[in-house]
């Protein structure tokens, strides 16, 4: 049984990366759908004011800890949980697809990004079984859902940013089976090489968000005031539970 807790009413699974990967493989083999959310403070804060997103976060199969903020929130509960970075987890899923010849689909990011990403993957993983690849700038959700269900992937990575990617997966779940589906944010930009990954030292210190904010100052308004408010809410919540 995997362990769970909640952070501001959002379920968070206390699972390490290799178990999450093993579980994904098991679901593919059992031909079951498996929706994984890489949960971060912005998503949890969005769920506080949007009840349908809160329901969505409660209806997924696994919510893994992405984002240092969630790691700190768990620490306040006395839980030591390793972060599973969305980019790293996606890489592992791509490797899983390659090793098992699973059908893999990619939706999201700009056209030049996905073309470069495909080129890079095919160099690294010749014969990677890509059954669908489409950029994330489209008008008609139904058309995309239809196309993906026809391609019948066993692993689907959706890089549209949140909540778009989770909302699309929710609709898609009804139409496909035997598929591991993950919202991966800006991971395709990293895979294409167009956006550089933060240096290891930043990643190790959990300061990836700081590096990305310095590189892309427009991200500042996403983090502030959301992140400090998130942490204050978590502290209040912990104090209430203890009192
Ligand atoms: N994106 C997309 N379609 C849209 C809006 C965004 O495909 O309509 C892509 C965008 O190109 C980027 C990703 O979604 O690749 C969002 O990245 P972001 O950095 O916002 O996500 P994070 O990694 O912070 O979750």
């Amino acid at each position: 049984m995997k362990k769970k807790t909640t952070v501001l009413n959002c379920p968070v699974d206390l699972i390490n990366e290799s178990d999450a990967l093993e579980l994904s493989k098991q679901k593919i083999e059992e031909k079951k759908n498996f929706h994984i959310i890489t949960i971060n403070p912005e998503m949890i804060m969005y769920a506080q004011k949007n009840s349908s997103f809160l329901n969505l976060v409660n209806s997924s199969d696994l919510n893994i800890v992405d984002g240092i903020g969630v790691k700190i929130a768990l620490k306040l509960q006395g839980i030591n949980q390793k972060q599973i970075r969305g980019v790293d987890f996606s890489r592992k899923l791509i490797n899983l697809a390659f090793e098992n010849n699973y059908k893999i689909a990619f939706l999201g990011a700009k056209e030049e990004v996905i073309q470069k990403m495909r080129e890079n993957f095919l160099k690294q993983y010749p014969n990677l079984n890509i059954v669908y690849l489409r950029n994330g700038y489209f008008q008609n959700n139904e058309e995309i859902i239809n196309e993906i269900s026809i391609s019948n992937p066993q692993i689907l990575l959706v890089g549209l940013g949140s909540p778009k990617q989770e909302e699309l997966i929710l609709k898609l779940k009804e139409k496909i089976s035997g598929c591991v589906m993950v919202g991966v944010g800006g991971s395709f930009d990293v895979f294409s090489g167009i956006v550089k990954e933060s240096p290891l030292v930043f990643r190790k210190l959990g300061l990836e968000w700081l590096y990305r904010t310095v590189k892309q100052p427009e991200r500042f308004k996403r983090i502030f005031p959301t992140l400090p408010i998130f942490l204050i809410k978590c502290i209040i919540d912990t104090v209430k539970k203890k009192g």
Side-chain angles (χ1 to χ4, degrees), residues 88-149:
D88 294 337
F89 192 65
S90 308
R91 269 199 197 99
K92 297 269 164 67
L93 282 175
I94 294 159
N95 199 49
L96 187 75
F98 176 65
E99 283 174 351
N100 296 278
N101 198 32
Y102 291 146
K103 291 180 278 182
I104 187 161
F106 300 90
L107 173 68
K110 296 192 180 124
E111 186 60 26
E112 78 253 32
V113 167
I114 56 168
Q115 290 312 332
K116 195 79 193 69
M117 175 177 81
R118 189 214 315 248
E119 226 176 83
N120 293 346
F121 284 156
L122 292 179
K123 263 184 228 151
Q124 195 182 351
Y125 306 105
N127 308 325
L128 181 67
N129 196 355
I130 302 176
V131 290
Y132 187 81
L133 179 87
R134 178 151 181 176
N135 72 58
Y137 295 86
F138 50 83
Q139 301 300 326
N140 189 338
N141 263 13
E142 294 311 312
E143 185 189 311
I144 298 292
I145 288 171
N146 214 17
E147 283 176 7
I148 296 176
S149 64

Side-chain angles (χ1 to χ4, degrees), residues 19-66:
D19 287 347
L21 208 64
E22 192 51 45
L23 211 49
S24 304
K25 184 164 189 242
Q26 191 185 321
K27 298 296 170 185
I28 295 172
E29 297 297 333
E30 289 170 358
K31 299 194 169 32
K32 287 190 179 141
N33 281 339
F34 198 51
H35 178 197
I36 304 175
I37 295 183
T38 61
I39 202 150
N40 62 32
E42 292 106 89
M43 288 180 185
I44 294 177
M45 286 303 283
Y46 183 62
Q48 307 305 301
K49 50 178 198 241
N50 184 311
S51 60
S52 57
F53 191 68
L54 181 65
N55 287 340
L56 199 162
V57 167
N58 272 282
S59 74
S60 58
D61 300 297
L62 199 69
N63 294 344
I64 59 179
V65 177
D66 191 4

